[in-house]
Amino acid sequence: MTATGDWTRPVRRDMSQRRKGSTAKRGGLKFDMVFGAVVFGIVGAAIGFYINTGASIPVAGIIGMVLGLCIGILGGRRFFISIVCGAVLGAALFGLVSGRDAAALGAGVGGAMGGFLGVQIGMLLDLWRQRKESIMPEQPPQDTNPQ
């Protein structure tokens, strides 16, 4: 091995190392799947509570969990966080305006709106990031260790 390092050895990267153009995030796929199942399951159960029929809560919760697992596999962590924020804000707003009985409906509606707004904001942020990268030319790395 030379003083500058072994350049012939292949570099092994795991899922926690973020590379440019990569969607790998810290925490991995299992966290995204569980997080998605919990978030979508709770939002589904809140909507099922409002429907108020015999098996609406478990059926809507299970459907939400399955959808959350599928979206978790695709890596939608920002999407899930926007749903949680929307559900909390929706439940609080509906609870303040219409009373405690409407808080479950507010959580479901707020989660849906939070997801929609999260996707739109995410698309705008990605668009702005791409535009900024296309305007600014790449500069070669500067040597910080003069010899």
Side-chain angles (χ1 to χ4, degrees):
M1 189 163 153
T2 64
T4 58
D6 186 7
W7 298 104
T8 60
R9 184 174 49 99
V11 176
R12 186 171 184 208
R13 293 189 171 122
D14 62 325
M15 289 293 286
S16 66
Q17 292 177 337
R18 187 161 180 143
R19 297 181 301 257
K20 185 172 179 150
S22 173
T23 59
K25 296 179 184 109
R26 196 169 285 252
L29 183 64
K30 288 182 184 178
F31 177 78
D32 286 347
M33 291 172 61
V34 171
F35 190 47
V38 168
V39 169
F40 269 48
I42 290 173
V43 171
I47 293 171
F49 178 77
Y50 181 72
I51 294 173
N52 198 18
T53 59
S56 63
I57 294 174
V59 169
I62 290 171
I63 291 171
M65 288 175 69
V66 170
L67 288 173
L69 283 172
C70 294
I71 294 173
I73 290 171
L74 298 174
R77 188 176 300 176
R78 286 191 308 183
F79 179 63
F80 296 142
I81 292 171
S82 67
I83 289 174
V84 169
C85 293
V88 169
L89 290 174
L93 184 63
F94 271 56
L96 289 173
V97 172
S98 300
R100 289 181 66 184
D101 295 337
L105 174 64
V109 171
M113 288 302 297
F116 173 75
L117 291 174
V119 167
Q120 298 303 317
I121 291 170
M123 288 173 40
L124 285 174
L125 290 174
D126 290 341
L127 181 68
W128 288 333
R129 187 178 308 121
Q130 288 175 357
R131 185 172 185 206
K132 185 178 176 182
E133 288 175 359
S134 68
I135 292 173
M136 297 183 69
E138 286 192 31
Q139 297 177 354
Q142 296 178 357
D143 188 17
T144 58
N145 189 10
Q147 295 190 14

